[in-house]
């Protein structure tokens, strides 16, 4: 394992005093510095400036000034920039991964995939250029030869606001389609993860993207609010919590400003009576507790048939209980710390509520005692609760930590009870159906009221739309549908 001292010695970005504005790293005029803390040790190892109002004006103004040149290119030419950005990201993979792991405690095997995934997203969107460039003429139905030329104009200057759980991916899935569409952007990363995203910015600059098209400003949540409401912004793309999403939606509603919102979730894994529990065990951590439970779409409620409840509970508890928790820099680590002291408190409060409301702990259930340099870290034992009643808080609210709840459904007369339990939530983001007969499992997936559902696995497909229903959000990311969120349509009518 690489030591923290070695990591810090090699990282280019620790204590920084600049923002990326107008194509250059630009020293901040404000002396306020916000800390960056390693949640595995609780040591502060970096800091970033808080952007001022003047810097915000400068970034948004520069982004607006850059629009004519960038949007004036053919999409095919912008796609070439996207491919170059992908190459430049791959060249920065290791420092990006180490920085991300020190920021939020995501295990290194996961963050090592972040650059490749980001590059893959850029390459995918690059393949969609012809959808923007190709002549799109549509005949009038009356049949006199009149037609409309449909233009896909860029929506303009986009504010991209991201959370801390996947700080690279959740920016890139906005940045890549925005750039392909011909938009310019101002990015605000989460306060917990403000440094790893700088490698993406460096890749953009190295790829030769014109000055002003991409800007990065760091600052607290209230700075995000100022960015969202800035008069020079045309569109907002946000990933984060449902409460902040509602505030942003209100602001954008008032301004009639287009907005996409990827918010919280409380997704369910429905275990059908014929499920292969060994196969389920192999994908359980990735689909139900990925990134120490800090993944929006994971299925943290397992809905088990009464006829096999104890068997399911035993497999889930054994799988979670034997996975290694430890230093996120260690390659064998499956579960790291949670991302911050604030997240530690939130998750522990949910675990306490599970105990208090009478759920039964099968494994975990407490803060984890770690030794050595990890002793002050934000570690929580991966926890599985059984006998969870649908009304308990651990069943209804998003915990965003390493906690799984196992509910029971009555399978004596089919699986409708399981579907009802899965859909009995304010959210609608993900889900998974485990079943031996894949067609029957898909028929159940069809009835799950959410934006994405997996059958015996859950993956994200760059070409398929991803988004939430109900309190999980508005609009989608990925694929042509995701690209279209950065487009403003215009129809030009011509006489036949
Ligand atoms: P958050 O508290 O909502 O923050 C998200 C981002 O918004 C951060 O950059 C934050 O800045 C900023 N922000 C805070 N208040 C703001 C305001 N009033 N106006 C504008 N921006 C503001 O979410 P989080 O705690 O970072 O992330 C966890 C949440 O993200 C979970 O609910 C999770 O489900 C959700 N998530 C959803 C998806 C999805 O695709 N649906 C994916 C991943 C995560 P600061 O960090 O400086 O406060
Ligand atoms: Mg927060």
């Amino acid at each position: 394992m690489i030591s923290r001292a070695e990591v810090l010695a090699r990282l280019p970005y620790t204590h920084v005093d600049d923002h990326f504005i107008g194509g250059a790293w630009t020293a901040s005029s404000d002396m306020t510095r916000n800390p960056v803390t390693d949640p595995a040790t609780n040591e502060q190892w970096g800091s970033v400036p808080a952007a001022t109002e003047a810097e915000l004006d400068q970034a948004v103004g520069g982004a607006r000034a850059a629009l004519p040149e960038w949007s004036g290119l053919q999409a095919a030419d912008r796609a070439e920039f996207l491919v170059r950005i992908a190459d430049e990201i791959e060249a920065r993979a290791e420092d990006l991964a180490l920085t991300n792991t020190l920021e939020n405690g995501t295990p290194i095997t996961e963050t090592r995939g972040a650059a490749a995934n980001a590059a893959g997203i850029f390459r995918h969107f690059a393949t969609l250029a012809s959808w923007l460039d190709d002549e799109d003429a549509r005949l009038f139905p009356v049949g006199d030869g009149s037609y409309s030329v449909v233009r896909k104009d860029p929506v303009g200057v986009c504010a991209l606001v991201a959370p801390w759980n996947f700080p690279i991916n959740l920016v890139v899935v906005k940045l890549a389609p925005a750039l392909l569409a011909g938009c310019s952007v101002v990015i605000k990363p989460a306060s917990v993860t403000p440094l790893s995203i700088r490698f993406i910015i460096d890749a953009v600059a190295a790829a030769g993207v014109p000055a002003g098209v991409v800007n990065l400003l760091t600052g607290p949540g209230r700075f995000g609010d100022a960015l969202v409401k800035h008069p020079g912004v045309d569109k907002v793309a946000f990933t984060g919590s449902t409460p902040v999403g509602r505030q942003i939606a209100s602001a954008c509603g008032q301004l009639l400003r287009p907005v996409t919102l990827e918010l919280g979730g409380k997704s369910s894994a429905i275990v059908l009576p014929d499920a292969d529990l060994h196969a389920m065990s192999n994908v359980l951590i990735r689909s139900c507790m990925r990134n120490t439970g800090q993944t929006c779409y994971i299925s943290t409620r397992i809905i088990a048939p009464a006829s096999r409840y104890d068997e399911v509970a035993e497999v889930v508890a054994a799988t979670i209980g034997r996975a290694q928790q430890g230093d996120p820099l260690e390659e064998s680590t499956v579960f790291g710390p949670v991302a911050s002291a604030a997240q530690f408190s939130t998750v522990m409060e949910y675990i306490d509520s599970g105990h208090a409301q009478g759920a039964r702990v099968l494994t975990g259930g407490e803060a984890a005692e770690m030794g050595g340099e990890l002793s002050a870290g934000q570690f929580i034992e991966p926890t599985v609760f059984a006998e969870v009643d649908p009304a308990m808080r651990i069943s209804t609210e998003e915990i965003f930590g390493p906690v799984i709840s196992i509910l029971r459904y009555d399978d004596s007369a089919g699986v409708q009870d399981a579907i009802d339990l899965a859909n009995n939530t304010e959210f609608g983001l993900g889900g998974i159906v485990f079943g031996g007969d894949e067609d029957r499992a898909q028929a159940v997936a069809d009835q799950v009221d959410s934006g994405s559902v997996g059958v015996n696995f859950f993956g994200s497909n760059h070409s398929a739309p991803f988004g939430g229903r109900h309190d999980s959000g508005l609009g989608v990311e990925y694929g042509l549908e995701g690209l279209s969120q950065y487009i403003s349509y215009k129809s030009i009518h011509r006489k036949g």
Side-chain angles (χ1 to χ4, degrees):
M1 187 189 92
I2 185 168
S3 73
R4 284 188 164 65
E6 287 171 288
V7 173
L8 289 174
R10 72 172 272 168
L11 289 185
Y13 296 128
T14 54
H15 294 276
V16 302
D17 64 0
D18 48 10
H19 305 284
F20 195 78
I21 301 174
W25 291 108
T26 307
S28 178
S29 57
D30 191 288
M31 291 312 289
T32 310
R33 295 290 178 270
N34 293 316
V36 182
T37 302
D38 180 353
T41 60
N42 214 21
E43 293 284 336
Q44 182 187 337
W45 61 276
S47 56
V48 296
T52 62
E53 219 170 292
E55 286 158 348
L56 175 58
D57 288 342
Q58 212 188 328
V60 173
R64 184 151 293 286
L67 269 179
E69 180 193 347
W70 184 243
S71 64
L73 296 175
Q74 291 286 299
D77 296 330
R78 289 193 297 268
E80 285 179 21
F81 282 100
L82 266 63
V83 172
R84 285 209 289 278
I85 294 171
D87 294 340
E88 295 291 346
I89 292 173
E90 282 163 346
R92 291 163 172 78
E94 187 62 9
D95 282 350
L96 181 158
L98 290 166
T99 303
N100 187 346
T101 290
L102 280 203
E103 285 174 329
N104 71 355
T106 293
I108 190 73
T109 48
E110 174 89 58
T111 57
R112 285 222 169 101
N117 184 254
I121 293 171
F122 273 103
R123 291 185 205 286
H124 167 68
F125 279 104
T127 68
L128 302 181
S130 64
W131 182 72
L132 297 169
D133 279 341
D134 287 355
E135 184 73 10
D136 184 353
R138 307 185 192 181
L139 288 171
F140 277 66
V142 287
D144 66 350
S146 297
Y147 62 99
S148 305
V149 177
V150 178
R151 293 279 186 230
K152 293 159 186 143
D153 291 339
V155 69
V157 176
C158 302
L160 312 184
V161 182
W164 44 259
N165 58 330
F166 290 94
I168 302 301
N169 173 283
L170 294 170
V171 170
V172 165
V173 74
K174 300 167 178 56
L175 177 62
L179 291 182
L180 184 71
C183 298
S184 56
V185 306
V186 179
I187 300 167
K188 188 206 108 58
S191 292
V192 169
T193 50
L195 290 170
S196 51
I197 193 62
R198 293 169 70 103
F199 297 99
I200 302 295
I201 302 299
D202 283 342
V204 165
V209 173
V213 174
V214 174
N215 303 272
L216 174 79
L217 299 176
T218 49
R222 66 178 174 280
F223 167 71
D225 182 59
L227 169 60
V228 161
K229 294 175 179 162
H230 194 283
V233 166
D234 297 302
K235 183 226 155 73
V236 177
F238 171 77
T239 298
S241 63
T242 296
V244 173
R246 278 188 210 286
Q247 289 176 32
I248 292 176
S250 309
C252 290
Q254 199 55 42
L255 294 161
L256 290 178
R257 184 167 290 176
V259 60
T260 39
L261 302 168
E262 300 290 345
L263 309 178
K266 187 76 184 181
S267 304
S268 296
I270 297 177
V271 184
L272 297 179
D274 68 343
D276 173 348
L277 299 188
H278 178 72
M280 179 182 92
S281 163
N282 287 335
V283 300
L284 187 78
I285 290 175
R286 201 165 174 83
S287 47
C288 301
M289 230 198 242
R290 184 176 179 186
N291 195 17
T292 317
Q294 301 163 118
T295 306
C296 55
Y297 61 69
I298 52 175
S299 296
T300 53
R301 297 201 299 187
I302 294 182
I303 304 189
S307 63
R308 294 183 75 187
Y309 188 87
D310 291 343
E311 207 188 332
V312 171
E314 195 182 310
V315 168
V316 172
T319 307
I320 300 298
R322 71 170 169 260
Q324 186 178 319
Q325 180 168 39
D327 194 324
L329 287 172
E330 183 78 66
E331 292 183 4
S332 54
T333 290
V334 177
F335 296 120
V338 294
S340 63
Q343 202 58 20
F344 179 90
S345 307
T346 306
V347 176
M348 286 310 300
E349 201 213 310
Y350 277 111
I351 290 178
D352 292 344
S353 85
H355 292 300
Q357 293 191 299
R360 184 160 63 87
V361 176
L362 299 183
T363 185
E366 291 177 47
E369 297 293 332
M370 309 299 285
E373 66 174 342
L374 307 185
S375 56
Q378 313 296 343
F379 288 87
I380 296 174
E381 292 175 352
T383 298
V384 178
F385 281 111
E387 307 305 338
V388 175
D389 183 90
M392 290 179 187
R393 288 183 63 206
I394 56 170
S395 171
T396 58
E397 296 177 28
E398 179 181 56
I399 299 173
F400 224 60
V403 183
I404 283 179
S405 301
I406 310 181
L407 287 76
R408 182 191 307 266
Y409 73 93
D410 175 2
D411 59 322
S412 59
V415 296
Q416 191 57 46
D417 191 29
I419 297 164
D420 292 344
L421 279 169
N423 289 341
N424 184 14
T425 161
E426 308 293 311
F427 298 106
L429 191 57
I432 184 164
V433 181
F434 291 110
D437 179 326
E438 296 241 338
D439 292 336
R440 283 224 309 268
Q442 187 180 328
V444 173
D446 277 330
Q447 296 177 71
V448 173
D449 185 14
S450 78
S452 304
V453 195
V455 173
N456 290 325
F457 90 116
F458 194 98
S460 92
N461 176 351
H462 295 170
S463 66
F466 172 85
R469 297 180 178 176
H470 312 295
D471 287 3
S472 291
L474 284 178
V476 293
E477 297 190 317
Y478 290 109
L480 267 184
E481 295 83 357
L483 174 59
S484 71
Q485 317 260 331
Y486 294 88
I487 296 298
S488 180
Y489 292 96
K490 179 164 75 185
S491 296
I492 303 172
H493 307 305
R494 306 272 305 261
K495 205 74 195 144

